[in-house]
Coordinates of all heavy atoms in Angstrom, one line a residue:
M1 N 204.5 153.9 24.6 CA 203.8 155.0 25.1 C 204.7 156.0 25.7 O 205.5 155.5 26.6 CB 202.7 154.5 26.1 CG 201.7 155.6 26.3 SD 200.2 154.7 27.0 CE 199.7 155.8 28.3
K2 N 204.4 157.2 25.5 CA 205.4 158.2 26.0 C 204.9 158.6 27.4 O 203.7 158.9 27.6 CB 205.4 159.4 25.1 CG 206.8 159.9 24.8 CD 206.7 161.0 23.8 CE 208.0 161.8 23.8 NZ 207.8 163.0 22.9
R3 N 205.8 158.7 28.3 CA 205.3 159.2 29.6 C 205.6 160.7 29.8 O 206.6 161.2 29.4 CB 206.2 158.5 30.8 CG 205.6 157.1 31.1 CD 206.3 156.5 32.2 NE 206.2 157.1 33.5 CZ 207.0 156.9 34.5 NH1 208.0 156.1 34.5 NH2 206.8 157.5 35.7
R4 N 204.7 161.4 30.4 CA 204.9 162.8 30.6 C 205.6 162.9 31.9 O 205.1 162.4 32.9 CB 203.6 163.6 30.7 CG 203.0 163.8 29.3 CD 201.8 164.7 29.5 NE 202.1 166.1 29.7 CZ 201.2 167.0 29.9 NH1 199.9 166.7 30.0 NH2 201.5 168.3 30.2
V5 N 206.7 163.7 32.0 CA 207.4 164.0 33.1 C 207.1 165.3 33.6 O 207.4 166.3 32.8 CB 208.9 163.7 32.9 CG1 209.7 164.0 34.2 CG2 209.2 162.3 32.5
F6 N 206.7 165.4 34.8 CA 206.5 166.8 35.4 C 207.6 167.2 36.1 O 208.1 166.5 37.0 CB 205.2 166.8 36.2 CG 203.9 166.6 35.4 CD1 203.3 165.4 35.3 CD2 203.3 167.7 34.9 CE1 202.1 165.2 34.5 CE2 202.1 167.6 34.2 CZ 201.6 166.3 34.0
R7 N 208.1 168.4 35.8 CA 209.3 168.9 36.4 C 208.8 169.5 37.8 O 207.8 170.1 37.8 CB 209.9 170.1 35.5 CG 211.3 170.5 36.0 CD 211.9 171.4 35.0 NE 211.0 172.6 34.7 CZ 211.2 173.7 35.3 NH1 212.1 173.9 36.2 NH2 210.4 174.7 35.0
Y8 N 209.5 169.2 38.8 CA 209.1 169.8 40.2 C 209.4 171.3 40.1 O 210.5 171.7 39.9 CB 209.9 169.1 41.2 CG 209.6 169.8 42.6 CD1 208.4 169.4 43.2 CD2 210.4 170.6 43.2 CE1 208.0 170.0 44.4 CE2 210.2 171.1 44.4 CZ 209.0 170.9 45.1 OH 208.6 171.4 46.2
V9 N 208.4 172.0 40.4 CA 208.5 173.5 40.6 C 208.2 173.9 42.0 O 207.2 173.7 42.5 CB 207.5 174.3 39.6 CG1 207.8 175.7 39.7 CG2 207.7 173.8 38.2
P10 N 209.3 174.4 42.7 CA 209.1 174.9 44.1 C 208.4 176.2 44.2 O 209.0 177.2 44.4 CB 210.6 175.0 44.6 CG 211.4 175.3 43.4 CD 210.7 174.7 42.2
F11 N 207.1 176.1 44.0 CA 206.3 177.3 44.1 C 206.4 178.0 45.5 O 206.6 177.2 46.6 CB 204.8 177.0 43.9 CG 204.5 176.8 42.4 CD1 204.4 175.5 41.9 CD2 204.1 177.9 41.7 CE1 204.1 175.3 40.5 CE2 203.8 177.7 40.3 CZ 203.7 176.4 39.8
T12 N 206.3 179.2 45.5 CA 206.2 180.0 46.8 C 204.7 180.3 47.0 O 204.0 180.7 46.1 CB 207.0 181.3 46.6 OG1 208.4 181.0 46.5 CG2 206.9 182.1 48.0
I13 N 204.3 180.0 48.3 CA 202.9 180.4 48.6 C 202.8 181.6 49.3 O 203.4 181.9 50.4 CB 202.3 179.3 49.4 CG1 202.5 177.8 48.8 CG2 200.8 179.5 49.7 CD1 201.9 176.7 49.4
E14 N 202.1 182.6 48.8 CA 202.0 183.9 49.4 C 200.5 184.2 49.7 O 199.6 183.8 49.0 CB 202.4 185.0 48.3 CG 203.9 185.0 48.2 CD 204.3 186.0 47.0 OE1 203.4 186.8 46.6 OE2 205.4 186.0 46.6
Q15 N 200.2 185.0 50.7 CA 198.9 185.6 50.9 C 198.6 186.5 49.8 O 199.5 187.5 49.5 CB 198.8 186.3 52.3 CG 197.5 186.7 52.6 CD 197.4 187.3 54.1 OE1 198.0 188.2 54.4 NE2 196.6 186.7 54.8
D16 N 197.5 186.4 49.3 CA 197.0 187.3 48.3 C 196.7 188.8 48.8 O 195.7 188.8 49.6 CB 195.7 186.8 47.6 CG 195.1 187.6 46.4 OD1 195.8 188.7 46.2 OD2 194.2 187.2 45.7
Q17 N 197.5 189.6 48.4 CA 197.3 191.0 49.0 C 196.1 191.8 48.5 O 195.8 192.8 49.0 CB 198.7 191.8 48.8 CG 199.9 191.1 49.4 CD 199.8 191.0 51.0 OE1 199.2 191.8 51.6 NE2 200.5 190.0 51.4
T18 N 195.6 191.2 47.4 CA 194.5 191.9 46.8 C 193.2 191.6 47.4 O 192.2 192.1 47.1 CB 194.5 191.7 45.2 OG1 194.1 190.3 45.0 CG2 195.7 192.1 44.6
A19 N 193.2 190.5 48.2 CA 192.0 190.1 48.9 C 192.1 190.2 50.4 O 193.1 189.8 51.0 CB 191.7 188.7 48.5
E20 N 191.1 190.7 51.0 CA 191.2 191.0 52.5 C 191.1 189.6 53.2 O 190.2 188.9 52.9 CB 190.0 191.9 52.9 CG 189.9 193.2 52.1 CD 190.7 194.3 52.9 OE1 191.1 194.1 54.0 OE2 190.8 195.4 52.3
P21 N 191.9 189.3 54.3 CA 191.5 188.3 55.1 C 190.3 188.5 55.9 O 190.0 189.6 56.0 CB 192.8 188.2 56.0 CG 193.5 189.5 56.0 CD 193.0 190.2 54.8
E22 N 189.7 187.4 56.4 CA 188.5 187.6 57.1 C 188.6 186.9 58.5 O 189.0 185.8 58.6 CB 187.3 187.0 56.4 CG 187.1 187.6 55.0 CD 186.0 186.9 54.2 OE1 185.8 185.6 54.5 OE2 185.5 187.5 53.1
Y23 N 188.2 187.6 59.6 CA 188.2 187.1 60.8 C 186.7 187.1 61.4 O 186.1 188.1 61.2 CB 189.0 188.0 61.8 CG 190.5 188.1 61.5 CD1 191.0 188.9 60.5 CD2 191.4 187.3 62.2 CE1 192.2 189.0 60.1 CE2 192.7 187.4 61.9 CZ 193.2 188.2 60.9 OH 194.5 188.3 60.6
E24 N 186.3 186.1 62.1 CA 185.0 186.1 62.7 C 185.0 185.2 63.9 O 185.8 184.2 64.0 CB 183.8 185.9 61.8 CG 183.9 184.6 61.1 CD 182.8 184.5 60.0 OE1 181.6 184.7 60.3 OE2 183.1 184.1 58.9
A25 N 184.0 185.3 64.8 CA 183.9 184.4 65.9 C 182.4 184.3 66.2 O 181.5 185.1 65.9 CB 184.6 185.0 67.3
R26 N 182.1 183.0 66.7 CA 180.7 182.7 67.1 C 180.7 182.1 68.5 O 181.6 181.3 68.8 CB 180.2 181.6 66.0 CG 178.8 181.2 66.2 CD 178.4 180.2 65.2 NE 178.7 178.8 65.6 CZ 179.5 178.1 65.0 NH1 180.0 178.4 63.8 NH2 179.8 176.9 65.4
C27 N 179.7 182.5 69.2 CA 179.6 182.1 70.6 C 179.1 180.6 70.7 O 178.0 180.4 70.1 CB 178.7 183.0 71.5 SG 178.6 182.4 73.1
V28 N 179.9 179.7 71.2 CA 179.4 178.3 71.3 C 179.1 177.9 72.6 O 179.1 176.7 73.0 CB 180.4 177.4 70.5 CG1 180.5 177.6 69.2 CG2 181.8 177.5 71.2
S29 N 178.9 178.9 73.6 CA 178.6 178.6 75.0 C 177.1 178.1 75.0 O 176.3 178.4 74.1 CB 178.7 179.8 75.8 OG 180.0 180.3 75.7
G30 N 176.8 177.3 76.0 CA 175.5 176.9 76.1 C 175.4 175.4 76.4 O 176.2 174.7 75.9
D31 N 174.5 174.9 77.2 CA 174.4 173.5 77.6 C 173.8 172.7 76.5 O 174.4 171.7 76.0 CB 173.7 173.3 79.0 CG 174.4 174.0 80.1 OD1 175.6 174.1 80.0 OD2 173.6 174.5 81.0
E32 N 172.6 172.9 76.2 CA 171.9 172.1 75.1 C 172.0 172.6 73.7 O 172.2 171.8 72.9 CB 170.4 172.0 75.5 CG 170.2 170.7 76.4 CD 168.9 170.9 77.3 OE1 167.8 171.3 76.6 OE2 169.0 170.7 78.5
S33 N 172.0 173.9 73.6 CA 172.3 174.3 72.2 C 173.2 175.6 72.3 O 173.3 176.3 73.3 CB 171.0 174.8 71.6 OG 170.3 175.8 72.3
E34 N 174.0 175.8 71.2 CA 174.9 176.9 71.2 C 174.2 178.2 71.2 O 173.2 178.4 70.6 CB 175.7 176.9 70.0 CG 176.6 175.7 69.9 CD 177.4 175.7 68.5 OE1 177.2 176.6 67.8 OE2 178.3 174.8 68.4
C35 N 174.7 179.2 71.9 CA 174.2 180.5 71.9 C 174.1 181.2 70.5 O 173.1 181.7 70.1 CB 175.1 181.5 72.8 SG 174.9 183.2 72.5
G36 N 175.3 180.9 69.7 CA 175.2 181.3 68.3 C 175.4 182.8 68.0 O 175.4 183.1 66.8
A37 N 175.7 183.6 69.0 CA 176.0 185.0 68.8 C 177.1 185.2 67.9 O 178.1 184.5 68.1 CB 176.1 185.8 70.1
Q38 N 177.1 186.0 66.9 CA 178.2 186.2 66.0 C 178.8 187.6 65.9 O 178.1 188.6 66.1 CB 177.7 185.8 64.5 CG 177.4 184.4 64.4 CD 176.8 184.0 63.0 OE1 176.1 184.8 62.3 NE2 177.2 182.8 62.5
S39 N 180.1 187.6 65.7 CA 180.8 188.8 65.7 C 180.6 189.5 64.3 O 180.8 190.7 64.2 CB 182.3 188.6 65.9 OG 182.8 187.9 64.8
G40 N 180.2 188.8 63.3 CA 180.3 189.3 61.9 C 181.7 189.1 61.4 O 182.6 188.9 62.1
T41 N 181.9 189.5 60.2 CA 183.2 189.3 59.5 C 184.0 190.6 59.5 O 183.4 191.6 59.2 CB 183.0 188.8 58.1 OG1 182.3 187.6 58.1 CG2 184.4 188.5 57.4
H42 N 185.2 190.5 59.9 CA 186.0 191.8 60.0 C 187.4 191.5 59.2 O 187.8 190.4 59.1 CB 186.3 192.2 61.4 CG 185.0 192.5 62.2 ND1 184.4 193.7 62.2 CD2 184.1 191.8 62.9 CE1 183.3 193.8 62.8 NE2 183.0 192.6 63.3
R43 N 188.0 192.6 58.9 CA 189.2 192.5 58.2 C 190.6 192.4 59.1 O 191.6 192.1 58.7 CB 189.5 193.7 57.4 CG 188.6 193.7 56.1 CD 188.6 195.0 55.4 NE 188.1 196.1 56.2 CZ 188.1 197.3 55.8 NH1 188.7 197.8 54.7 NH2 187.6 198.3 56.4
D44 N 190.3 192.5 60.4 CA 191.3 192.3 61.4 C 190.7 191.7 62.7 O 189.5 192.0 62.9 CB 192.3 193.5 61.5 CG 191.6 194.6 62.4 OD1 190.9 195.3 61.8 OD2 191.9 194.6 63.5
P45 N 191.6 191.1 63.6 CA 191.0 190.4 64.7 C 190.5 191.4 65.8 O 189.7 191.0 66.7 CB 192.1 189.6 65.3 CG 193.4 190.1 64.6 CD 193.0 190.8 63.4
G46 N 191.0 192.6 65.8 CA 190.5 193.6 66.9 C 189.1 193.7 67.1 O 188.6 193.4 68.3
P47 N 188.3 194.0 66.1 CA 186.9 194.1 66.4 C 186.2 192.9 66.8 O 185.2 192.8 67.6 CB 186.3 194.5 65.0 CG 187.5 195.1 64.3 CD 188.6 194.4 64.8
V48 N 186.7 191.7 66.4 CA 186.2 190.5 66.8 C 186.4 190.2 68.3 O 185.5 189.8 69.0 CB 186.8 189.3 65.9 CG1 186.3 188.0 66.4 CG2 186.6 189.5 64.4
E49 N 187.6 190.5 68.7 CA 187.9 190.3 70.1 C 187.1 191.3 71.0 O 186.6 190.9 72.1 CB 189.4 190.6 70.3 CG 190.2 189.4 69.8 CD 191.7 189.6 70.0 OE1 192.1 190.6 70.5 OE2 192.5 188.8 69.5
E50 N 186.8 192.5 70.5 CA 186.1 193.4 71.1 C 184.6 192.9 71.4 O 184.0 193.0 72.4 CB 186.1 194.7 70.4 CG 185.7 196.0 71.2 CD 185.8 197.2 70.4 OE1 186.8 197.4 69.8 OE2 184.8 197.9 70.3
C51 N 184.1 192.3 70.2 CA 182.7 191.7 70.3 C 182.7 190.6 71.3 O 181.7 190.4 72.1 CB 182.4 191.0 69.0 SG 181.3 192.0 67.9
Q52 N 183.8 189.7 71.4 CA 183.8 188.6 72.3 C 183.7 189.2 73.8 O 183.0 188.7 74.6 CB 185.1 187.9 72.3 CG 185.1 187.0 70.9 CD 186.3 186.2 70.7 OE1 187.1 186.4 69.7 NE2 186.7 185.4 71.6
R53 N 184.6 190.2 74.1 CA 184.7 190.8 75.4 C 183.3 191.3 75.8 O 182.9 191.2 76.9 CB 185.7 191.9 75.5 CG 187.1 191.5 75.4 CD 188.1 192.7 75.5 NE 189.3 192.4 74.7 CZ 190.2 191.6 75.1 NH1 190.2 190.9 76.1 NH2 191.3 191.4 74.3
K54 N 182.7 192.1 74.9 CA 181.4 192.6 75.1 C 180.4 191.6 75.4 O 179.6 191.7 76.5 CB 181.0 193.5 74.0 CG 179.9 194.6 74.3 CD 179.9 195.6 73.2 CE 178.5 196.4 73.3 NZ 177.6 196.2 72.1
H55 N 180.3 190.6 74.6 CA 179.4 189.5 74.8 C 179.5 188.7 76.1 O 178.6 188.4 76.8 CB 179.5 188.5 73.6 CG 178.4 187.5 73.6 ND1 177.0 187.8 73.3 CD2 178.4 186.1 73.8 CE1 176.4 186.6 73.3 NE2 177.2 185.6 73.7
T56 N 180.8 188.5 76.4 CA 181.1 187.8 77.6 C 180.7 188.7 78.9 O 180.1 188.1 79.8 CB 182.6 187.4 77.8 OG1 182.9 186.5 76.7 CG2 182.9 186.8 79.1
Q57 N 181.0 189.9 78.8 CA 180.6 190.8 79.8 C 179.1 190.9 80.1 O 178.6 190.9 81.2 CB 181.0 192.3 79.3 CG 181.2 193.3 80.5 CD 182.5 193.2 81.0 OE1 182.7 192.7 82.2 NE2 183.6 193.5 80.3
E58 N 178.3 190.8 79.0 CA 176.9 190.9 79.1 C 176.2 189.6 79.4 O 175.1 189.5 80.0 CB 176.3 191.3 77.6 CG 176.5 192.8 77.3 CD 176.3 193.2 76.0 OE1 176.0 192.2 75.2 OE2 176.4 194.3 75.6
T59 N 176.8 188.4 79.0 CA 176.2 187.1 79.2 C 176.8 186.1 80.1 O 176.3 185.2 80.5 CB 176.0 186.4 77.8 OG1 177.3 186.3 77.2 CG2 175.2 187.3 76.8
G60 N 178.2 186.4 80.2 CA 178.9 185.4 81.0 C 179.4 184.3 80.2 O 180.1 183.3 80.7
H61 N 179.0 184.3 78.8 CA 179.5 183.2 78.0 C 181.0 183.3 77.7 O 181.5 184.4 77.5 CB 178.8 183.3 76.6 CG 177.3 183.0 76.7 ND1 176.4 183.3 75.7 CD2 176.5 182.5 77.8 CE1 175.2 182.9 76.1 NE2 175.2 182.4 77.4
R62 N 181.7 182.2 77.6 CA 183.1 182.2 77.6 C 183.8 181.3 76.6 O 184.9 181.2 76.5 CB 183.7 181.9 79.0 CG 183.5 183.1 80.0 CD 183.6 182.6 81.4 NE 185.0 182.4 81.7 CZ 185.6 182.3 83.0 NH1 184.6 182.3 84.0 NH2 186.8 182.0 83.2
R63 N 183.0 180.7 75.7 CA 183.6 179.8 74.7 C 183.1 180.3 73.3 O 181.9 180.5 73.0 CB 183.1 178.5 74.9 CG 184.2 177.4 74.5 CD 184.0 176.1 75.1 NE 184.8 175.1 74.3 CZ 184.3 174.4 73.3 NH1 182.9 174.5 73.0 NH2 185.0 173.7 72.6
Y64 N 184.1 180.4 72.4 CA 183.9 180.9 71.0 C 184.6 180.1 70.0 O 185.6 179.5 70.3 CB 184.4 182.3 70.9 CG 183.7 183.3 71.8 CD1 184.1 183.5 73.1 CD2 182.6 184.0 71.2 CE1 183.4 184.4 73.9 CE2 182.0 185.0 72.1 CZ 182.3 185.1 73.4 OH 181.7 186.0 74.1
R65 N 183.9 179.9 68.9 CA 184.5 179.3 67.8 C 185.0 180.4 66.8 O 184.3 181.3 66.5 CB 183.5 178.5 67.0 CG 183.8 178.2 65.5 CD 184.5 177.1 65.2 NE 185.0 177.2 63.8 CZ 185.5 176.2 63.2 NH1 185.8 175.1 63.8 NH2 186.0 176.3 61.9
R66 N 186.4 180.4 66.5 CA 186.9 181.5 65.7 C 187.3 181.0 64.3 O 187.8 179.9 64.2 CB 188.2 182.0 66.3 CG 187.9 182.6 67.8 CD 189.0 183.6 68.2 NE 190.3 182.8 68.4 CZ 191.4 183.4 68.8 NH1 191.4 184.7 69.0 NH2 192.4 182.7 68.9
D67 N 187.0 181.8 63.4 CA 187.3 181.4 62.0 C 188.2 182.5 61.3 O 187.9 183.7 61.5 CB 186.1 181.2 61.1 CG 185.3 179.9 61.4 OD1 186.1 178.8 61.3 OD2 184.2 179.8 61.9
F68 N 189.1 182.1 60.6 CA 190.0 182.9 59.9 C 190.1 182.4 58.4 O 190.2 181.2 58.2 CB 191.4 183.0 60.5 CG 192.5 183.6 59.6 CD1 192.4 185.0 59.5 CD2 193.4 182.9 58.9 CE1 193.3 185.6 58.7 CE2 194.4 183.6 58.1 CZ 194.3 184.9 58.0
G69 N 189.9 183.3 57.5 CA 190.0 182.9 56.1 C 190.9 183.9 55.3 O 190.8 185.1 55.5
D70 N 191.7 183.4 54.4 CA 192.4 184.3 53.5 C 192.6 183.5 52.2 O 192.3 182.4 52.0 CB 193.7 184.7 54.1 CG 194.8 183.7 54.2 OD1 194.5 182.4 54.0 OD2 195.9 184.0 54.5
Y71 N 193.2 184.3 51.2 CA 193.4 183.7 49.9 C 195.0 183.6 49.6 O 195.7 184.5 50.1 CB 192.9 184.6 48.8 CG 191.3 184.7 49.0 CD1 190.8 185.5 49.9 CD2 190.5 183.8 48.2 CE1 189.4 185.7 50.0 CE2 189.1 184.0 48.4 CZ 188.6 184.8 49.3 OH 187.2 184.8 49.4
A72 N 195.3 182.5 49.0 CA 196.8 182.3 48.8 C 197.1 182.3 47.2 O 196.2 181.8 46.5 CB 197.2 181.0 49.4
V73 N 198.2 182.7 46.8 CA 198.6 182.6 45.4 C 199.9 181.8 45.4 O 200.8 182.1 46.2 CB 198.9 184.1 45.0 CG1 199.4 184.1 43.5 CG2 197.8 185.0 45.2
M74 N 200.0 181.0 44.4 CA 201.2 180.2 44.1 C 202.1 180.9 43.1 O 201.6 181.3 42.0 CB 200.8 178.8 43.5 CG 199.8 178.1 44.2 SD 200.2 177.6 46.0 CE 201.4 176.4 45.5
R75 N 203.3 181.2 43.5 CA 204.2 181.8 42.5 C 205.4 181.0 42.2 O 206.1 180.5 43.1 CB 204.8 183.1 43.3 CG 204.1 184.4 42.8 CD 204.8 185.6 43.3 NE 204.0 186.5 43.9 CZ 203.0 187.2 43.1 NH1 202.9 187.0 41.9 NH2 202.3 188.2 43.7
P76 N 205.6 180.9 40.9 CA 206.8 180.1 40.5 C 208.1 180.9 40.8 O 208.0 182.1 40.8 CB 206.5 179.9 38.9 CG 205.6 181.0 38.5 CD 204.8 181.3 39.8
P77 N 209.3 180.2 40.8 CA 210.4 180.9 41.2 C 210.8 182.0 40.3 O 211.3 183.0 40.8 CB 211.5 179.7 41.1 CG 210.7 178.5 41.2 CD 209.3 178.7 40.7
A78 N 210.6 181.9 38.9 CA 211.0 182.9 38.0 C 210.3 184.3 38.3 O 210.8 185.3 38.3 CB 210.6 182.5 36.6
E79 N 209.0 184.1 38.8 CA 208.2 185.3 39.2 C 208.7 185.9 40.5 O 208.7 187.1 40.6 CB 206.7 184.9 39.3 CG 205.7 185.9 38.8 CD 204.3 185.3 38.8 OE1 204.0 184.6 37.8 OE2 203.6 185.6 39.7
V80 N 209.1 185.1 41.4 CA 209.5 185.6 42.7 C 210.8 186.3 42.4 O 211.1 187.5 42.9 CB 209.9 184.4 43.6 CG1 210.6 184.9 44.9 CG2 208.6 183.7 44.0
A81 N 211.7 185.8 41.6 CA 213.0 186.6 41.2 C 212.7 187.8 40.5 O 213.3 188.8 40.8 CB 213.8 185.6 40.3
E82 N 211.8 187.8 39.6 CA 211.4 189.0 38.8 C 210.8 190.1 39.8 O 211.3 191.2 39.7 CB 210.3 188.6 37.8 CG 209.7 189.8 37.0 CD 210.8 190.5 36.2 OE1 211.8 189.9 35.8 OE2 210.6 191.7 35.8
L83 N 210.0 189.7 40.7 CA 209.4 190.6 41.7 C 210.5 191.3 42.6 O 210.5 192.4 42.9 CB 208.4 190.0 42.6 CG 207.0 189.8 42.0 CD1 206.2 189.0 42.9 CD2 206.4 191.1 41.8
A84 N 211.5 190.4 42.9 CA 212.6 190.8 43.8 C 213.4 191.9 43.0 O 213.8 192.9 43.6 CB 213.5 189.7 44.2
R85 N 213.6 191.7 41.7 CA 214.4 192.7 40.9 C 213.6 194.0 40.8 O 214.2 195.1 41.0 CB 214.7 192.1 39.5 CG 215.9 192.7 38.8 CD 216.3 192.0 37.6 NE 215.2 191.9 36.7 CZ 215.0 190.7 36.0 NH1 215.7 189.6 36.3 NH2 214.0 190.7 35.2
V86 N 212.3 193.9 40.5 CA 211.5 195.1 40.3 C 211.5 195.9 41.6 O 211.5 197.1 41.6 CB 210.0 194.7 39.9 CG1 209.1 195.8 40.1 CG2 210.0 194.2 38.5
N87 N 211.4 195.2 42.7 CA 211.4 195.9 44.1 C 212.8 196.3 44.6 O 213.1 196.4 45.7 CB 210.7 195.0 45.1 CG 209.3 194.8 44.8 OD1 208.6 195.6 44.2 ND2 208.7 193.7 45.2
G88 N 213.8 196.3 43.6 CA 215.1 196.6 44.1 C 215.8 195.7 45.0 O 216.6 196.2 45.7
G89 N 215.4 194.3 45.0 CA 216.0 193.4 45.9 C 215.4 193.5 47.4 O 215.8 192.7 48.1
A90 N 214.7 194.5 47.6 CA 214.1 194.5 49.0 C 213.0 193.6 49.1 O 212.1 193.6 48.3 CB 213.6 195.9 49.3
A91 N 213.0 192.8 50.0 CA 211.8 191.8 50.2 C 211.5 191.6 51.7 O 212.4 191.5 52.4 CB 212.1 190.5 49.6
Ligands
LIG101 ZN1 176.8 183.7 73.9

């Protein structure tokens, strides 16, 4: 029986520039149940922090659960080299 040998490929992991990262926060303050107030999803952390400041100002709540999400792309070395050449070596 023939064994398949997988060649190790040192993929580079990059953030997918075609998909927006997502930031959000949820207020988890409260004794018996979480407040649950949400910032909504934003493309950068600024508006999320602003939401937190405003909510804390209004309610005195000071604990938040923050979530960040983005997309990653795996690139084989040949592609990384090709991209570097296309971009004139600037990276
Ligand atoms: Zn709250």
Side-chain angles (χ1 to χ4, degrees):
M1 196 161 137
K2 232 174 152 186
R3 275 181 71 192
R4 280 186 75 186
V5 179
F6 290 93
R7 193 167 60 90
Y8 176 77
V9 181
F11 283 95
T12 298
I13 304 177
E14 290 175 8
Q15 186 177 56
D16 183 356
Q17 300 300 329
T18 66
E20 307 266 355
E22 296 172 348
Y23 297 83
E24 60 186 309
R26 182 180 85 239
C27 179
V28 294
S29 302
D31 295 329
E32 269 155 45
S33 58
E34 291 179 358
C35 163
Q38 291 180 323
S39 68
T41 304
H42 297 274
R43 287 172 293 175
D44 73 278
V48 175
E49 289 176 4
E50 204 177 302
C51 257
Q52 288 176 245
R53 286 182 216 286
K54 197 164 163 241
H55 185 69
T56 296
Q57 204 82 249
E58 287 167 354
T59 61
H61 293 167
R62 289 163 69 167
R63 209 162 164 268
Y64 295 85
R65 150 90 194 189
R66 300 199 295 184
D67 283 304
F68 168 73
D70 70 351
Y71 296 83
V73 182
M74 309 297 286
R75 260 193 224 295
E79 217 172 280
V80 173
E82 176 62 25
L83 279 173
R85 203 171 54 227
V86 167
N87 298 329

